[in-house]
């Protein structure tokens, strides 16, 4: 199958054209696509002075993967399950002001980074942004439908606030058996990963706790 012709008048950010886009909704939308990346742009809420770098972006197996990234050894990988936020902004790259999409994500167990992407081809950048925002909206709908007991929410908040090794039993004043019983439904809902006391929040779990805390403080 041939790639369809480029729309007339389309402006791209590089002379190099990006590879064929797979348009089927269930397929991986981008493969080996030229991209500018700022990683990390933020650690937690702190803005970092990280310069942009060029790389090749692929979405595959529910993972954002950037290879051939200058100044970085190895491959940058962000699993969709670790994404906790998606937003738009603008950056000046190589003297040109371009739109970027910022992805907030967990670096397990609990570090939060923001990585900014600017796909060189405008059409593919829009596709990438829409793909991420669609996933993020789906996560938000899933979270809104989750019904938690007070004990389950307390456990999630404890994991959310954890720094280093913690004694969950002492904090919650519950036995190991009681805490273990709480883990099953939370794991089935995709809110935690791991096993037993060593469990940690997934991106979905982190988002849920953040939203419930915000709701309680309004």
């Amino acid at each position: 199958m041939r790639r369809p012709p480029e729309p007339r008048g389309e402006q791209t950010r590089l002379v190099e054209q990006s590879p064929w886009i797979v348009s089927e909704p269930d397929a991986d939308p981008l493969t080996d696509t030229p991209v500018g990346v700022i990683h990390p742009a933020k650690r937690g809420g702190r803005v970092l002075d990280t310069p942009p770098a060029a790389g090749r972006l692929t979405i595959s197996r529910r993972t954002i993967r950037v290879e051939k990234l200058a100044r970085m050894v190895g491959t940058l990988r962000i699993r969709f399950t670790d994404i906790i936020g998606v937003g738009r902004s603008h950056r000046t790259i190589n003297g040109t002001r371009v739109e970027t999409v910022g992805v907030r994500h967990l670096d397990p167990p609990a570090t939060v980074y923001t990585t900014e992407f600017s796909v060189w081809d405008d059409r593919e950048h829009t596709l990438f942004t829409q793909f991420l925002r669609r996933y993020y909206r789906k996560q938000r709908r899933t979270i809104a439908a989750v019904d938690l007991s007070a004990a389950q929410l307390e456990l999630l908040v404890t994991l959310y606030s954890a720094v280093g090794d913690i004694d969950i039993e002492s904090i919650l004043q519950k036995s190991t058996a009681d805490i273990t019983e709480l883990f099953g439904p939370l794991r089935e809902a995709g809110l935690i990963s791991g096993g037993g006391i060593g469990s940690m929040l997934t991106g979905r779990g982190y988002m849920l706790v953040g939203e419930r805390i915000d709701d309680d403080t309004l």
Side-chain angles (χ1 to χ4, degrees), residues 23-87:
S23 58
E24 289 80 358
D26 295 329
D28 299 331
L30 298 170
T31 301
D32 198 36
T33 299
V35 65
V37 179
I38 301 173
H39 174 76
K42 294 181 182 178
R43 180 186 173 104
R46 183 165 62 92
V47 177
L48 304 177
D49 189 23
T50 306
R56 312 290 293 199
L57 180 145
T58 296
I59 294 180
S60 178
R61 299 182 182 275
R62 311 292 282 178
T63 299
I64 301 169
R65 188 174 74 247
V66 182
E67 299 174 311
K68 303 176 184 177
L69 193 58
R71 296 186 299 276
M72 182 174 178
V73 177
T75 300
L76 170 63
R77 288 183 174 86
I78 301 173
R79 299 179 303 178
F80 275 41
T81 53
D82 291 328
I83 292 175
I84 59 175
V86 177

Coordinates of all heavy atoms in Angstrom, one line a residue, residues 23-87:
S23 N -3.2 4.3 9.7 CA -4.4 5.1 10.0 C -5.4 4.3 10.7 O -6.4 4.8 11.3 CB -5.0 5.7 8.8 OG -5.3 4.7 7.8
E24 N -5.3 2.9 10.8 CA -6.3 2.1 11.4 C -6.3 2.5 12.9 O -5.3 2.6 13.5 CB -6.0 0.7 11.2 CG -6.3 0.1 9.8 CD -5.1 0.5 8.9 OE1 -4.2 1.1 9.4 OE2 -5.2 0.1 7.7
P25 N -7.5 2.7 13.5 CA -7.6 3.1 14.9 C -6.9 2.2 15.9 O -6.5 2.7 17.0 CB -9.1 3.3 15.2 CG -9.7 2.4 14.2 CD -8.8 2.4 13.0
D26 N -6.9 0.9 15.7 CA -6.3 0.0 16.6 C -4.8 -0.3 16.4 O -4.2 -1.1 17.1 CB -7.1 -1.3 16.6 CG -8.5 -1.1 17.1 OD1 -8.7 -0.2 18.0 OD2 -9.4 -1.9 16.6
A27 N -4.3 0.3 15.3 CA -2.9 0.0 15.0 C -2.0 1.1 15.7 O -2.4 2.1 16.1 CB -2.7 0.1 13.5
D28 N -0.7 0.7 15.7 CA 0.3 1.7 16.2 C 0.4 2.9 15.2 O 0.6 2.7 14.0 CB 1.7 1.0 16.3 CG 1.6 -0.1 17.3 OD1 0.8 -0.1 18.2 OD2 2.4 -1.1 17.1
P29 N 0.1 4.1 15.7 CA 0.0 5.2 14.8 C 1.3 5.8 14.2 O 1.2 6.4 13.1 CB -0.7 6.3 15.6 CG -0.3 6.0 17.0 CD -0.1 4.5 17.1
L30 N 2.4 5.6 14.9 CA 3.6 6.3 14.4 C 4.8 5.3 14.5 O 4.9 4.5 15.5 CB 3.9 7.5 15.2 CG 2.9 8.7 15.2 CD1 3.3 9.7 16.2 CD2 2.9 9.3 13.8
T31 N 5.7 5.3 13.5 CA 6.8 4.4 13.5 C 8.0 5.1 13.0 O 8.0 5.7 11.9 CB 6.5 3.1 12.7 OG1 5.4 2.5 13.1 CG2 7.7 2.2 12.7
D32 N 9.1 5.2 13.8 CA 10.4 5.7 13.4 C 10.2 7.2 12.9 O 10.7 7.5 11.8 CB 11.0 4.9 12.3 CG 12.5 5.2 12.2 OD1 13.2 5.4 13.2 OD2 13.0 5.1 11.0
T33 N 9.4 8.0 13.6 CA 9.1 9.3 13.2 C 10.0 10.3 13.8 O 10.3 10.3 15.0 CB 7.6 9.6 13.6 OG1 6.7 8.7 13.0 CG2 7.2 11.0 13.3
P34 N 10.6 11.3 13.0 CA 11.5 12.3 13.5 C 10.7 13.2 14.6 O 9.6 13.6 14.4 CB 11.8 13.1 12.3 CG 11.6 12.2 11.1 CD 10.5 11.3 11.5
V35 N 11.4 13.4 15.7 CA 10.8 14.1 16.8 C 11.8 14.9 17.6 O 13.0 14.5 17.7 CB 10.0 13.1 17.7 CG1 11.0 12.2 18.4 CG2 9.2 13.8 18.8
G36 N 11.4 16.0 18.1 CA 12.2 16.7 19.1 C 11.7 16.4 20.5 O 10.5 16.4 20.7
V37 N 12.6 16.1 21.4 CA 12.3 15.7 22.8 C 13.0 16.5 23.8 O 14.2 16.8 23.7 CB 12.6 14.2 23.0 CG1 12.2 13.8 24.4 CG2 11.9 13.4 22.0
I38 N 12.3 16.9 24.8 CA 12.9 17.5 26.0 C 12.6 16.6 27.2 O 11.5 16.5 27.7 CB 12.4 18.9 26.3 CG1 12.6 19.9 25.1 CG2 13.0 19.5 27.6 CD1 11.9 21.2 25.2
H39 N 13.7 15.9 27.6 CA 13.5 14.9 28.7 C 14.6 14.9 29.7 O 15.8 14.8 29.3 CB 13.4 13.5 28.1 CG 13.4 12.4 29.1 ND1 12.2 12.2 29.9 CD2 14.3 11.6 29.6 CE1 12.5 11.2 30.7 NE2 13.7 10.8 30.6
P40 N 14.3 15.2 30.9 CA 12.9 15.6 31.4 C 12.8 17.1 31.3 O 13.8 17.8 31.5 CB 12.9 15.1 32.8 CG 14.3 15.2 33.3 CD 15.2 14.9 32.1
A41 N 11.6 17.6 31.0 CA 11.3 19.0 31.0 C 11.1 19.5 32.5 O 11.4 20.6 32.9 CB 10.1 19.4 30.2
K42 N 10.5 18.6 33.3 CA 10.2 18.8 34.7 C 10.5 17.6 35.5 O 10.3 16.4 35.0 CB 8.8 19.3 34.9 CG 8.4 20.6 34.3 CD 6.9 20.9 34.6 CE 6.5 22.2 34.0 NZ 5.0 22.5 34.3
R43 N 10.9 17.8 36.7 CA 10.9 16.7 37.7 C 9.9 17.1 38.8 O 10.2 18.1 39.5 CB 12.3 16.4 38.2 CG 12.3 15.3 39.3 CD 13.7 15.2 39.9 NE 13.8 14.3 41.0 CZ 14.3 13.0 40.9 NH1 14.8 12.6 39.8 NH2 14.2 12.2 42.0
G44 N 8.8 16.4 39.0 CA 7.8 16.9 39.9 C 7.3 18.2 39.3 O 6.9 18.3 38.2
G45 N 7.3 19.2 40.1 CA 6.8 20.5 39.7 C 8.0 21.5 39.3 O 7.7 22.6 38.9
R46 N 9.2 21.0 39.4 CA 10.4 21.8 39.1 C 10.8 21.8 37.7 O 11.0 20.7 37.1 CB 11.5 21.4 40.0 CG 12.8 22.2 39.9 CD 13.7 22.0 41.0 NE 14.2 20.6 41.0 CZ 15.3 20.2 40.3 NH1 16.1 21.1 39.7 NH2 15.7 18.9 40.4
V47 N 10.8 23.0 37.0 CA 11.2 23.1 35.6 C 12.7 22.9 35.5 O 13.5 23.5 36.3 CB 10.8 24.5 35.1 CG1 11.3 24.6 33.6 CG2 9.3 24.6 35.1
L48 N 13.2 22.1 34.6 CA 14.6 21.8 34.4 C 15.1 22.5 33.2 O 14.3 22.7 32.2 CB 14.8 20.3 34.3 CG 14.3 19.5 35.5 CD1 14.5 18.0 35.3 CD2 15.0 19.9 36.8
D49 N 16.4 22.7 33.1 CA 17.0 23.4 32.0 C 17.6 22.4 31.0 O 18.7 22.3 30.8 CB 18.1 24.4 32.5 CG 18.6 25.2 31.3 OD1 17.9 25.4 30.4 OD2 19.7 25.7 31.5
T50 N 16.7 21.5 30.5 CA 17.1 20.4 29.6 C 17.0 20.9 28.2 O 15.9 21.3 27.8 CB 16.2 19.2 29.9 OG1 16.3 18.8 31.2 CG2 16.8 18.0 29.0
P51 N 18.0 20.8 27.4 CA 17.9 21.2 26.0 C 17.2 20.2 25.2 O 17.2 19.0 25.5 CB 19.4 21.3 25.6 CG 20.1 20.4 26.4 CD 19.4 20.4 27.8
P52 N 16.5 20.6 24.1 CA 15.9 19.7 23.2 C 16.9 18.8 22.5 O 18.0 19.2 22.2 CB 15.1 20.6 22.2 CG 15.8 21.9 22.3 CD 16.4 22.0 23.6
A53 N 16.4 17.6 22.1 CA 17.3 16.7 21.4 C 16.4 16.0 20.3 O 15.2 15.8 20.5 CB 17.9 15.6 22.3
A54 N 17.0 15.6 19.2 CA 16.3 15.0 18.1 C 16.4 13.4 18.3 O 17.4 12.9 18.9 CB 16.9 15.3 16.8
G55 N 15.3 12.8 17.9 CA 15.3 11.3 18.0 C 14.3 10.8 17.0 O 13.7 11.5 16.2
R56 N 14.0 9.5 17.2 CA 13.0 8.8 16.3 C 12.0 8.1 17.2 O 12.3 7.3 18.0 CB 13.7 7.7 15.4 CG 15.0 8.2 14.7 CD 14.7 9.2 13.6 NE 14.0 8.6 12.5 CZ 14.0 9.1 11.3 NH1 14.6 10.3 11.0 NH2 13.3 8.6 10.3
L57 N 10.7 8.5 17.0 CA 9.6 8.1 17.9 C 8.8 7.0 17.2 O 8.5 7.0 16.1 CB 8.7 9.3 18.1 CG 7.5 9.1 19.0 CD1 7.3 10.3 19.9 CD2 6.3 8.8 18.2
T58 N 8.5 6.0 18.1 CA 7.6 4.9 17.7 C 6.6 4.7 18.8 O 7.0 4.7 20.0 CB 8.4 3.6 17.4 OG1 9.3 3.9 16.3 CG2 7.5 2.5 17.1
I59 N 5.4 4.4 18.5 CA 4.4 3.9 19.5 C 4.2 2.5 19.2 O 3.7 2.1 18.1 CB 3.1 4.7 19.4 CG1 3.3 6.2 19.8 CG2 2.0 4.1 20.3 CD1 2.1 7.0 19.8
S60 N 4.4 1.6 20.1 CA 4.3 0.2 19.9 C 4.0 -0.5 21.3 O 4.7 -0.2 22.3 CB 5.6 -0.4 19.3 OG 5.5 -1.8 19.1
R61 N 3.1 -1.4 21.3 CA 2.8 -2.2 22.5 C 2.5 -1.3 23.7 O 3.0 -1.5 24.8 CB 3.9 -3.2 22.8 CG 4.2 -4.2 21.7 CD 5.3 -5.1 22.2 NE 5.6 -6.1 21.1 CZ 4.9 -7.2 20.9 NH1 3.9 -7.6 21.7 NH2 5.2 -8.0 19.9
R62 N 1.7 -0.2 23.4 CA 1.2 0.7 24.5 C 2.4 1.4 25.1 O 2.4 1.7 26.3 CB 0.4 -0.1 25.5 CG -0.7 -0.9 24.9 CD -1.8 -0.1 24.3 NE -2.7 0.5 25.3 CZ -3.7 1.2 25.0 NH1 -4.0 1.5 23.7 NH2 -4.5 1.7 25.9
T63 N 3.4 1.7 24.4 CA 4.6 2.3 24.9 C 5.1 3.4 23.9 O 5.1 3.1 22.7 CB 5.8 1.3 25.1 OG1 5.3 0.3 26.1 CG2 7.0 2.0 25.6
I64 N 5.4 4.6 24.4 CA 6.1 5.6 23.6 C 7.6 5.2 23.7 O 8.2 5.2 24.8 CB 5.9 7.0 24.1 CG1 4.4 7.3 24.2 CG2 6.7 8.0 23.3 CD1 4.1 8.6 24.9
R65 N 8.2 5.1 22.5 CA 9.7 4.7 22.5 C 10.4 5.7 21.6 O 10.0 6.0 20.5 CB 9.8 3.3 21.9 CG 11.3 2.8 22.0 CD 11.4 1.4 21.6 NE 11.3 1.2 20.2 CZ 10.3 0.5 19.6 NH1 9.3 0.0 20.3 NH2 10.3 0.4 18.3
V66 N 11.5 6.3 22.1 CA 12.3 7.2 21.3 C 13.7 6.7 21.3 O 14.4 6.5 22.3 CB 12.3 8.7 21.9 CG1 13.1 9.6 21.0 CG2 10.9 9.2 22.1
E67 N 14.2 6.4 20.1 CA 15.5 5.9 19.9 C 16.4 6.9 19.2 O 15.9 8.0 18.7 CB 15.5 4.6 19.0 CG 14.7 3.5 19.7 CD 14.5 2.3 18.8 OE1 14.1 2.5 17.6 OE2 14.7 1.2 19.3
K68 N 17.7 6.7 19.1 CA 18.7 7.5 18.5 C 18.6 9.0 19.1 O 18.7 10.0 18.3 CB 18.5 7.6 17.0 CG 18.6 6.2 16.3 CD 18.2 6.3 14.9 CE 18.2 4.9 14.2 NZ 17.9 4.9 12.8
L69 N 18.4 9.0 20.4 CA 18.2 10.3 21.0 C 19.5 10.9 21.4 O 20.3 10.3 22.2 CB 17.3 10.2 22.3 CG 16.7 11.4 22.9 CD1 15.9 12.2 21.9 CD2 15.8 11.0 24.1
A70 N 19.8 12.1 20.9 CA 21.1 12.7 21.2 C 21.3 12.9 22.7 O 20.3 13.2 23.4 CB 21.3 14.0 20.4
R71 N 22.5 12.8 23.2 CA 22.9 13.0 24.6 C 22.2 12.0 25.5 O 22.2 12.2 26.8 CB 22.6 14.4 25.0 CG 23.3 15.5 24.3 CD 23.1 16.8 24.9 NE 21.7 17.2 24.8 CZ 21.1 17.8 23.7 NH1 21.9 18.0 22.7 NH2 19.9 18.1 23.7
M72 N 21.7 10.9 25.0 CA 21.1 9.9 25.9 C 21.5 8.5 25.5 O 21.4 8.2 24.3 CB 19.5 10.0 25.9 CG 18.9 9.1 26.8 SD 17.1 9.3 26.9 CE 16.6 8.0 28.0
V73 N 22.0 7.8 26.4 CA 22.4 6.4 26.2 C 21.2 5.5 26.3 O 20.4 5.6 27.2 CB 23.5 5.9 27.2 CG1 23.8 4.5 26.9 CG2 24.7 6.8 27.1
G74 N 21.0 4.7 25.3 CA 19.8 3.8 25.3 C 18.6 4.4 24.7 O 18.6 5.5 24.0
T75 N 17.4 3.8 25.0 CA 16.1 4.2 24.5 C 15.2 4.8 25.6 O 15.2 4.3 26.7 CB 15.4 3.0 23.9 OG1 16.3 2.5 22.8 CG2 14.1 3.4 23.3
L76 N 14.6 5.9 25.3 CA 13.6 6.5 26.2 C 12.3 5.7 26.0 O 11.8 5.6 24.9 CB 13.4 8.0 25.9 CG 12.2 8.6 26.6 CD1 12.4 8.6 28.1 CD2 12.0 10.1 26.1
R77 N 11.7 5.2 27.1 CA 10.5 4.5 27.0 C 9.5 5.0 28.1 O 9.9 5.2 29.2 CB 10.7 3.0 27.3 CG 11.4 2.2 26.2 CD 11.5 0.7 26.5 NE 12.0 0.0 25.4 CZ 13.3 -0.2 25.1 NH1 14.2 0.3 25.9 NH2 13.6 -0.9 24.1
I78 N 8.3 5.3 27.6 CA 7.2 5.7 28.5 C 6.0 4.8 28.3 O 5.4 4.8 27.2 CB 6.8 7.2 28.3 CG1 8.0 8.1 28.5 CG2 5.7 7.6 29.3 CD1 7.7 9.5 28.2
R79 N 5.7 4.0 29.3 CA 4.5 3.1 29.1 C 3.2 3.9 29.3 O 3.2 4.8 30.1 CB 4.5 2.0 30.2 CG 5.8 1.1 30.1 CD 5.7 0.0 31.2 NE 5.6 0.7 32.5 CZ 5.5 0.0 33.6 NH1 5.5 -1.3 33.6 NH2 5.5 0.6 34.8
F80 N 2.2 3.6 28.5 CA 1.0 4.3 28.6 C 0.4 4.2 30.0 O -0.2 5.1 30.5 CB 0.0 3.7 27.6 CG 0.1 4.3 26.3 CD1 1.3 4.6 25.7 CD2 -1.1 4.7 25.5 CE1 1.4 5.2 24.4 CE2 -1.0 5.3 24.3 CZ 0.3 5.5 23.7
T81 N 0.6 3.0 30.7 CA 0.1 2.8 32.0 C 0.7 3.8 33.0 O 0.2 3.9 34.2 CB 0.3 1.4 32.5 OG1 1.7 1.0 32.3 CG2 -0.6 0.4 31.7
D82 N 1.9 4.4 32.7 CA 2.5 5.3 33.6 C 2.2 6.8 33.3 O 2.6 7.7 34.0 CB 4.1 5.2 33.5 CG 4.5 3.8 34.1 OD1 3.9 3.3 35.0 OD2 5.5 3.3 33.6
I83 N 1.4 7.0 32.3 CA 1.0 8.4 32.0 C 0.0 8.9 32.9 O -1.1 8.3 33.2 CB 0.5 8.5 30.5 CG1 1.6 8.2 29.5 CG2 -0.1 9.9 30.2 CD1 1.2 8.1 28.1
I84 N 0.2 10.1 33.5 CA -0.7 10.7 34.4 C -1.2 12.1 34.0 O -2.0 12.7 34.7 CB -0.1 10.8 35.8 CG1 1.1 11.7 35.8 CG2 0.2 9.4 36.4 CD1 1.7 11.9 37.2
G85 N -0.8 12.6 32.9 CA -1.3 13.9 32.4 C -0.8 14.2 31.0 O 0.3 13.7 30.6
V86 N -1.6 14.9 30.2 CA -1.2 15.3 28.8 C -1.6 16.7 28.6 O -2.8 17.1 29.0 CB -1.9 14.4 27.8 CG1 -1.6 14.9 26.4 CG2 -1.5 12.9 28.0
G87 N -0.7 17.6 28.2 CA -1.0 19.0 28.0 C -0.2 19.5 26.8 O 0.8 19.0 26.3

